[in-house]
Amino acid sequence: MSPPSVGVQGVPAANRPAPRRSRGRLFDVLLNLPGGLITSTLILFTLALLLYLSLRVNDGQLLGSAFTFANLTQAVADPLTRTVLLRSIMLSAIVTVVTVVLAYPVAYFLAFHAGKYRHGLLFMISLPFWTSYLLRVFAWKIVLAWNGVLNSTLMGLGLTDAPLAGLLNTPTAVVITLAHAYAAFAVLPLYICLHGLARNLLEAAADLGAKPHQCFFKVILPLSMPGVMAAALVVFVPTVGDYVTPALVGGPASSMIGTLIQAQFGKANDWTAGAALAVVSMLAIAVVVLATRALVNRWVLPR
Amino acid sequence: MAQPSVVSLRGVSKRYSDKVLSVDNIDLDIAPGEFISLLGPSGCGKTTTLRMIAGFEAPSAGRILIDGQDLTDAPPYGRPVNTVFQDYALFPHLNVSDNVGFGLSLGRRVAAAEARKRVTAMLELVGLADKARARVYELSGGQQQRIAMARALVCQPRVLLLDEPLSALDAHLRQYMQVELKRLQSSLGTTFIMVTHDQTEALSISDRIAVMDKGHIEQVASPDALYDTPHSAFVAGFIGASNLLPGEVLQGGSGSVTVAVGALRFTARAPVPLQPGAAVTVSLRPEDLRLGHAAQQEGSATTHGRILQRLFHGRALRLHISLPGIDSLALDVSREAAGQHALQPGDEIPLSILPGAACAFPAPAPAA
């Protein structure tokens, strides 16, 4: 049904700005076009392809020839997958906690005490990113190796008699390397959140009798939880799938889910199994993230 | 002094840099239970003074005594004062009752049950008991203002500091909250120190007002005294409306002088002794001028003027008139008095100055 037609002369004045609004919408569309194209083609398309592959029978054809849930059930049922996935999540959780706990004081200092040095320090925090990720992992290999920088220093100082063997090729090495690699990613959202905190809230807390530590735990920390969550997300999600670091510094006891997925797509040449592993790990990450967020929301929001 | 003061400022100064002296050597004694306003134009140092009493700023010189104790160097959390912030500074992550109870929840100052009781009582006092569980951003501006008051008052401070507490409210609500503020203050008996740039607000609810300008306290007095006997041309001009006219002393003296302003000669009060021939600024309130020639009295002056502008102010008309030697003079005429006159721009009208209405102050040295 069409609305009763009204001649141009009869259009009420209030409705006139319509063409302007549609031009504004066109501008919005144009602004979002590049990002939208990249998201839909590169990310959503590849995700869809991954999901599709995980549901196909591996019969030698590129995209398989029939649907099956076997890949997914096998991925979930395989004890190796479960062990490795659980280890990945645990290692990443440790990396996340270590990184956020270490990044928080840096961000706090930048936000509240750095003064005129703030911009210079932020620049210096971004400096490690000027070298390749691989190079930074190798640097840790040199530091942590059996005859590496750390062991030589310890022995040189007489703190140990023999080199410590438990550094390189252990999960600890993975945690150290990943925590270092993602530190700056954690600092930035925390810094932005703390920097945006209204200073008069801190004054109000002190005015009401809060000593500095009470002010931190009762006002600053709860109000910076969005920053903490953002930082944790930025560290946790990519580290679960990381396979370069465990491969280079982790040794046999710390292969992560990324290593398995890479092996399926590479050496084993079983793309459908690899896709199934990727889908399972994505779901696991989503569950962990959503559960953590729900917990934090419950804790932080007013009762 | 009969009563020991609750807050004493002794030679307090605040210098932000070599050039800017924000507060310049002020002394102020505030009596217990008093409602005192720091009033002045922006940049006069009133907020800095309040922040120094609260402990957010350290004075560059001088001492701040609270209840006789030197608390100049005490941190904000170590002072028996609480602040109501201009934009309220309510904690967004806490609900209304947790905001109000914040100060009581710190340390073990009050038992939890007692704290709950006091929060409830305070919410009732400000009329928001039904909002205890609400989030602060769900409240209107006026409600947030009252929560900010409740949060500060529940700590039972010796002094409540209010930084432009009503400036974010619309005119109607502001008037209502002025009455609320006064009611709270008199029912609790707490000393209130309020910073404001709104002279009407200060005049209507303060017991005393400290008028500040350029980091100095110009005068501390009750609203009536400030209005009737200003000590300087600045106070005369800032409090209420005043014609500030350049003139010359004809006959000097202390207390009362005869001045010449334009072609007019009349007596004026002189808070500062003035010599004949001295250049003065004469302050004359629009309501102290009368339409028509009042019965000739000693010291009054009568003249004629031409109406330049006519402004309707409700109960009164404000006329801007020009006189011989005076470009523009504001004059208030009640509507009864205006009755028989047309009072249109261009009209010639007779007018007189009430005796003793004018005040003469030494004129500021002409700028080089």
Side-chain angles (χ1 to χ4, degrees):
Chain A
M1 226 203 255
S2 61
S5 67
V6 180
V8 176
Q9 309 263 295
V11 174
N15 290 355
R16 294 259 167 79
R20 235 188 127 159
R21 222 177 296 147
S22 77
R23 202 161 29 173
R25 194 161 304 146
L26 179 67
F27 182 68
D28 288 348
V29 168
L30 281 175
L31 266 184
N32 285 301
L33 203 59
L37 276 178
I38 289 172
T39 311
S40 55
T41 55
L42 298 182
I43 300 175
L44 290 182
F45 174 71
T46 44
L47 274 178
L49 189 62
L50 202 67
L51 192 64
Y52 181 77
L53 265 181
S54 73
L55 295 168
R56 300 298 279 182
V57 175
N58 184 14
D59 55 2
Q61 294 188 34
L62 186 62
L63 289 175
S65 57
F67 277 108
T68 174
F69 282 104
N71 299 316
L72 285 170
T73 48
Q74 206 181 334
V76 176
D78 187 355
L80 176 69
T81 317
R82 277 198 262 166
T83 316
V84 172
L85 187 55
L86 203 63
R87 180 196 291 149
S88 304
I89 288 172
M90 289 306 293
L91 269 178
S92 292
I94 295 170
V95 168
T96 306
V97 171
V98 167
T99 311
V100 172
V101 166
L102 290 180
Y104 199 100
V106 177
Y108 185 92
F109 177 82
L110 281 172
F112 294 113
H113 299 290
K116 59 180 174 172
Y117 303 109
R118 181 179 294 142
H119 296 290
L121 287 171
L122 272 171
F123 173 74
M124 277 166 68
I125 285 171
S126 75
L127 261 188
F129 290 89
W130 293 36
T131 59
S132 122
Y133 178 55
L134 215 55
L135 225 60
R136 276 177 282 147
V137 179
F138 269 111
W140 277 107
K141 224 172 149 84
I142 294 167
V143 172
L144 299 172
W146 190 76
N147 55 352
V149 176
L150 189 59
N151 271 333
S152 315
T153 311
L154 287 176
M155 282 168 61
L157 291 172
L159 291 172
T160 51
D161 298 328
L164 298 174
L167 290 175
L168 194 60
N169 300 329
T170 61
T172 313
V174 177
V175 171
I176 292 174
T177 309
L178 284 177
H180 171 249
Y182 284 90
F185 290 121
V187 168
L188 288 178
L190 282 169
Y191 163 74
I192 288 165
C193 185
L194 288 169
H195 188 61
L197 256 184
R199 293 299 191 271
N200 62 5
L201 293 179
L202 312 187
E203 286 188 347
D207 184 73
L208 291 164
K211 297 184 177 68
H213 71 276
Q214 291 170 317
C215 180
F216 177 77
F217 286 109
K218 301 201 85 167
V219 177
I220 298 178
L221 188 58
L223 285 176
S224 63
M225 279 321 278
V228 171
M229 283 309 290
L233 204 66
V234 151
V235 177
F236 181 76
V237 173
T239 50
V240 173
D242 193 291
Y243 75 93
V244 175
T245 304
L248 288 177
V249 302
S254 39
S255 61
M256 286 165 69
I257 194 71
T259 324
L260 282 192
I261 297 172
Q262 194 247 355
Q264 291 296 340
F265 276 100
K267 271 176 272 174
N269 199 18
D270 188 351
W271 287 20
T272 56
L277 275 179
V279 169
V280 168
S281 75
M282 269 193 292
L283 288 177
I285 291 171
V287 167
V288 171
V289 167
L290 291 177
T292 315
R293 226 181 62 159
L295 274 177
V296 168
N297 279 356
R298 168 167 292 215
W299 176 52
V300 172
L301 289 180
R303 288 168 296 279
Chain B
M1 198 180 274
Q3 240 179 344
S5 43
V6 59
V7 175
S8 298
L9 306 181
R10 300 255 176 276
V12 170
S13 295
K14 178 68 186 181
R15 187 182 283 283
Y16 280 110
S17 66
D18 285 346
K19 287 215 184 88
V20 189
L21 191 60
S22 178
V23 172
D24 188 2
N25 192 24
I26 63 171
D27 290 289
L28 185 61
D29 281 287
I30 296 162
E34 188 173 31
F35 194 138
I36 188 165
S37 293
L38 305 179
L39 175 66
S42 62
C44 71
K46 55 191 193 296
T47 297
T48 305
T49 305
L50 194 82
R51 289 176 60 82
M52 287 193 288
I53 299 173
F56 301 137
E57 311 268 356
S60 314
R63 312 306 298 167
I64 294 170
L65 280 70
I66 300 174
D67 270 337
Q69 249 188 307
D70 188 338
L71 293 180
T72 313
D73 304 315
Y77 51 85
R79 299 179 183 219
V81 302
N82 288 112
T83 306
V84 175
F85 291 83
Q86 185 170 11
D87 49 5
Y88 318 137
L90 298 176
F91 301 118
H93 61 300
L94 300 177
N95 68 20
V96 166
S97 69
D98 288 344
N99 259 284
V100 175
F102 187 88
L104 301 177
S105 72
L106 302 164
R108 266 168 219 79
R109 278 197 279 170
V110 195
E114 166 69 11
R116 263 197 305 279
K117 227 167 66 190
R118 271 163 64 174
V119 167
T120 310
M122 192 48 75
L123 282 174
E124 263 159 29
L125 188 65
V126 298
L128 288 172
D130 56 324
K131 299 283 184 199
R133 300 268 154 246
R135 309 223 171 134
V136 289
Y137 46 80
E138 294 167 354
L139 303 181
S140 69
Q143 290 172 333
Q144 293 191 7
Q145 212 282 332
R146 279 184 279 166
I147 294 305
M149 298 272 306
R151 182 179 69 174
L153 284 170
V154 80
C155 301
Q156 300 179 343
R158 290 288 293 146
V159 183
L160 186 74
L161 307 174
L162 303 111
D163 184 9
E164 303 263 9
L166 308 180
S167 64
L169 305 176
D170 63 58
H172 230 78
L173 195 53
R174 187 155 54 221
Q175 288 202 339
Y176 169 73
M177 285 305 296
Q178 286 175 6
V179 179
E180 270 299 287
L181 263 185
K182 188 70 188 164
R183 178 183 72 86
L184 269 177
Q185 196 263 341
S186 39
S187 72
L188 294 168
T190 309
T191 309
F192 277 33
I193 306 178
M194 178 174 80
V195 158
T196 181
H197 65 272
D198 181 344
Q199 47 134 330
T200 323
E201 187 172 298
L203 287 170
S204 50
I205 56 180
S206 318
D207 297 325
R208 278 200 306 162
I209 299 172
V211 181
M212 294 186 69
D213 183 39
K214 300 191 181 93
H216 297 278
I217 291 185
E218 288 278 330
Q219 187 174 357
V220 189
S222 69
D224 312 50
L226 273 184
Y227 195 85
D228 294 335
T229 53
H231 283 182
S232 67
F234 175 81
V235 174
F238 195 76
I239 301 289
S242 235
N243 294 295
L244 293 178
L245 308 163
E248 193 191 331
V249 177
L250 296 179
Q251 195 185 323
S254 60
S256 176
V257 293
T258 305
V259 291
V261 176
L264 288 175
R265 310 226 171 324
F266 53 91
T267 42
R269 286 172 288 145
V272 186
L274 295 165
Q275 295 303 316
V280 286
T281 300
V282 175
S283 120
L284 198 52
R285 294 204 183 275
E287 68 266 28
D288 290 333
L289 290 159
R290 286 286 180 272
L291 186 64
H293 288 165
Q296 196 58 257
Q297 276 176 282
E298 171 128 27
S300 72
T302 55
T303 183
H304 283 81
R306 181 184 303 280
I307 299 177
L308 299 170
Q309 229 178 6
R310 174 184 185 276
L311 305 168
F312 181 66
H313 277 192
R315 276 170 42 210
L317 290 174
R318 173 156 298 175
L319 304 176
H320 287 273
I321 50 183
S322 73
L323 308 173
I326 301 172
D327 290 342
S328 173
L329 186 68
L331 149 68
D332 283 351
V333 182
S334 71
R335 295 178 73 190
E336 296 94 313
Q340 63 270 40
H341 299 269
L343 298 181
Q344 289 306 316
D347 291 358
E348 280 277 337
I349 53 162
L351 63 129
S352 46
I353 298 167
L354 294 187
C359 264
F361 307 101

